[in-house]
Amino acid sequence: MDGLLPEEATERLVATCRTTVGDNLRSVTYFTRTDFQQVYLRDDLERDADLMDFIGIERQDFNTTADAYGGSELGDYRYTLRVFENGYLVRVGGENTAVFVTTDGVELRDFDALAHALSSTLSEWES
């Protein structure tokens, strides 16, 4: 799907991710409650992932997490990190708009920096 974000916004998302995780970046997908746009997919990866399933899981998990941990001593939700055999998925954002980024192996501090940079970008767009 194309056109959910203006070209300038897609370029900014990709640049933000590339600056933080470099060549370890696999993909970037922006999504809302009703739509999604894969804004980046590394050339060596297959284009057959069922993104709607990923997005459905991330939406459901966000709502469950927000309900379960809201108001706890842990503080506010920041991001979700999922670890897989061949890489990682980082989900940043809220209920209405979010981004998930997949990467090859990177350091934990890089995920934190990535989440902070993406959160700042999403916050600017929602203002």
Side-chain angles (χ1 to χ4, degrees):
M1 297 184 174
D2 294 322
L4 184 60
L5 289 173
E7 186 174 337
E8 180 181 305
T10 62
E11 290 172 2
R12 181 168 176 193
L13 276 179
V14 173
T16 298
C17 295
R18 295 275 302 163
T19 298
T20 308
V21 298
D23 291 338
N24 288 314
L25 182 63
R26 295 170 66 96
S27 70
V28 180
T29 303
Y30 173 84
F31 61 99
T32 66
R33 286 177 170 242
T34 59
D35 209 353
F36 73 92
Q37 180 180 353
Q38 186 170 55
V39 299
Y40 174 81
L41 181 66
R42 199 169 65 197
D43 290 338
D44 65 322
L45 299 174
E46 295 184 23
R47 302 189 183 293
D48 63 349
D50 186 352
L51 296 178
M52 281 308 297
D53 280 350
F54 281 39
I55 291 165
I57 289 167
E58 293 307 319
R59 279 189 189 124
Q60 180 181 0
D61 185 65
F62 172 80
N63 290 331
T64 301
T65 300
D67 289 345
Y69 296 105
S72 79
E73 293 178 2
L74 292 172
D76 293 334
Y77 165 86
R78 292 183 51 210
Y79 63 93
T80 299
L81 173 61
R82 299 186 190 285
V83 180
F84 297 92
E85 180 180 355
N86 296 319
Y88 303 88
L89 183 144
V90 179
R91 184 230 196 263
V92 179
E95 187 174 352
N96 296 321
T97 62
V99 176
F100 70 79
V101 175
T102 61
T103 72
D104 292 328
V106 297
E107 299 292 321
L108 186 57
R109 69 178 179 276
D110 294 331
F111 289 121
D112 198 46
L114 175 62
H116 178 73
L118 289 172
S119 292
S120 295
T121 299
L122 290 174
S123 293
E124 287 176 28
W125 293 347
E126 291 176 355
S127 299

